[in-house]
């Protein structure tokens, strides 16, 4: 266990810019954008233009009807975590390129010779990279995203308060304000299982490709799909290319996208996100996401991912050349 802890720390130290500073900088930019939008909005939110004797006069108005205040507070408490969307998209790209270079880079710069001189097995090394990709990095990005979303919500609420619109009593009384982060973190096991095919595929390519890993990882599935499509047209075959595209190509390349299981499991996102008390209720999305684990699709993909990770371990054991 101590060995695995230090191996995961090694991954963090070697990729600190991608794992830590990138989301910190992105979160800071989003907060600055919210701050700028709030400051800009402060010039108009509390004003009213009226015409007096042919002249336009700007008058200051404060406050909103209580019903409107309750609606704003309820909606914000349910949707404030949407601000984490850009960071989760950034995490997807970071994980994709991290897994793609995880085993290739150490062969390219010959550092694999040093790491193999240590009393650490190939399986431990590869598993530490899997743990970094599926546990450490998502937790870091989620933690930073949640803090960023809360800070953005606070800035917006203070901006409204400056104009006599106090949404804090309504905001703090909404259960979704507190359950939202818990549900997001609670979806991590679902994400891990659905993301395994892409992680396994990228690590396997990273373990054997001598060069141009991106071309191998992305080009091979797309080329195979194109070849099958041409054969289907040329010989009038009845292959289900839509199934192949969704369950093979897309599972291999796009399973790192958070929430992608909604499409793979044919969930109706609009149907499971209900509207309660004038605000979206994401409880249905949470429960239905966990319900996808009852189907075979996720487990077949996870088994394929584990098999490809095992191949990556074996390839690392025997392929030392750059």
């Amino acid at each position: 266990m101590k060995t695995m802890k230090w191996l995961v720390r090694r991954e963090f130290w070697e990729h600190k810019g991608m794992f830590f500073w990138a989301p910190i900088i992105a979160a800071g930019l989003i907060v600055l954008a919210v701050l700028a939008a709030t400051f800009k909005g402060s010039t108009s939110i509390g004003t009213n233009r009226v015409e007096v004797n042919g002249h336009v006069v700007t008058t200051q108005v404060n406050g909103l009807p209580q019903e409107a205040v309750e609606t704003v507070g309820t909606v914000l408490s349910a949707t404030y975590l949407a601000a984490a969307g850009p960071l989760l998209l950034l995490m997807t790209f970071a994980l994709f390129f991290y897994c793609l270079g995880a085993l290739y880079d150490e062969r390219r710069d010959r550092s694999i010779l040093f790491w193999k001189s240590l009393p650490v097995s190939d399986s431990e090394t590869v598993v530490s990279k899997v743990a970094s990709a599926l546990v450490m990095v998502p937790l870091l990005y989620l933690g930073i995203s949640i803090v960023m979303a809360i800070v953005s919500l606070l800035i917006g609420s203070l901006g409204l308060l400056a104009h006599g619109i106090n949404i804090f009593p309504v905001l703090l009384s909404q259960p979704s304000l507190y359950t939202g982060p818990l549900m997001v973190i609670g979806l991590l096991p679902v994400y891990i299982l659905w993301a395994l095919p892409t992680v396994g595929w990228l690590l396997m390519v990273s373990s054997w490709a001598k060069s141009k890993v991106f071309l191998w990882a992305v080009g091979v599935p797309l080329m195979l799909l194109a070849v099958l499509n041409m054969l289907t047209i040329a010989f009038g075959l009845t292959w289900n290319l839509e199934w192949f595209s969704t369950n093979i190509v897309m599972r291999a390349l796009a399973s790192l996208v958070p929430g992608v299981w909604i499409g793979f499991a044919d969930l109706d996102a609009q149907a499971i996100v209900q509207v309660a008390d004038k605000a979206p209720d994401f409880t249905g999305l949470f429960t239905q996401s966990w319900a996808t684990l009852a189907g075979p699709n996720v487990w077949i993909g996870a088994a394929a991912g584990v098999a490809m990770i095992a191949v990556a371990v074996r390839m690392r054991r025997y392929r030392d050349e750059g």
Side-chain angles (χ1 to χ4, degrees):
M1 183 61 68
K2 288 184 178 181
T3 301
M4 184 58 59
K5 181 179 71 174
W6 282 106
L7 287 173
V8 172
R9 285 187 178 182
R10 165 209 164 187
E11 296 300 319
F12 175 77
W13 291 332
E14 290 187 351
H15 303 87
K16 193 173 183 178
M18 182 188 300
F19 291 171
F20 182 74
W21 290 116
I24 287 290
I25 293 172
L29 292 175
I30 293 174
V31 170
L32 287 177
V34 172
L35 190 61
T38 302
F39 179 78
K40 182 179 180 181
S42 66
T43 62
S44 59
I45 190 173
T47 61
N48 185 30
R49 295 180 179 272
V50 296
E51 185 174 338
V52 179
N53 297 328
H55 299 282
V56 176
V57 179
T58 300
T59 59
Q60 187 74 20
V61 294
N62 289 315
L64 283 175
Q66 182 60 31
E67 183 179 355
V69 172
E70 291 180 358
T71 300
V72 171
T74 302
V75 171
L76 285 178
S77 67
T79 60
Y80 73 100
L81 287 175
L87 264 68
L88 296 182
L89 181 61
L90 177 63
M91 181 191 75
T92 301
F93 285 102
L95 288 178
F96 187 94
F97 288 102
Y98 165 71
C99 293
L100 197 56
L103 300 176
Y104 168 73
D105 289 343
E106 64 180 12
R107 286 186 293 111
R108 183 183 60 179
D109 60 19
R110 310 298 291 174
S111 62
I112 189 174
L113 300 178
F114 168 75
W115 293 112
K116 283 199 169 187
S117 67
L118 300 178
V120 178
S121 67
D122 294 287
S123 59
E124 288 176 320
T125 300
V126 175
V127 169
S128 71
K129 296 178 185 295
V130 175
S132 298
L134 292 180
V135 181
M136 179 184 68
V137 175
L139 284 176
L140 284 173
Y141 272 79
L142 286 178
I144 295 170
S145 299
I146 291 171
V147 172
M148 178 270 297
I150 293 174
V151 172
S152 300
L153 178 63
L154 180 60
I155 291 173
S157 301
L158 290 174
L160 293 174
L161 183 61
H163 295 279
I165 305 172
N166 185 10
I167 67 170
F168 282 102
V170 178
L171 200 62
L172 296 176
S173 66
Q174 299 300 314
S176 57
L177 179 70
Y178 312 102
T179 59
L182 297 178
M183 285 196 292
V184 170
I185 296 175
L187 287 176
L188 182 58
V190 179
Y191 176 74
I192 290 173
L193 290 171
W194 279 101
L196 268 172
T198 299
V199 171
W201 168 248
L202 295 178
L203 286 176
M204 186 175 70
V205 173
S206 182
S207 68
W208 60 262
K210 293 183 178 181
S211 63
K212 300 178 177 61
V213 286
F214 181 82
L215 185 61
W216 281 107
V218 178
V220 168
L222 295 181
M223 183 62 68
L224 181 59
L225 180 61
V227 170
L228 291 177
N229 187 49
M230 288 188 294
L231 290 176
T232 300
I233 296 174
F235 297 100
L237 303 176
T238 58
W239 290 340
N240 189 347
L241 293 184
E242 182 179 356
W243 179 92
F244 182 84
S245 174
T246 301
N247 293 280
I248 303 299
V249 177
M250 294 303 296
R251 286 300 300 276
L253 299 179
S255 293
L256 284 172
V257 180
V260 73
W261 53 85
I262 294 175
F264 287 140
D266 295 326
L267 300 181
D268 187 349
Q270 293 182 345
I272 60 181
V273 179
Q274 303 295 329
V275 177
D277 297 328
K278 302 178 182 178
D281 181 11
F282 293 94
T283 304
L285 181 60
F286 177 80
T287 56
Q288 288 298 313
S289 296
W290 272 95
T292 62
L293 303 188
N297 195 356
V298 59
W299 297 107
I300 294 173
V306 171
M308 288 184 285
I309 291 170
V311 173
V313 172
R314 185 170 182 82
M315 292 299 298
R316 186 183 188 272
R317 185 173 301 158
Y318 298 108
R319 175 159 291 195
D320 297 345
E321 73 275 10

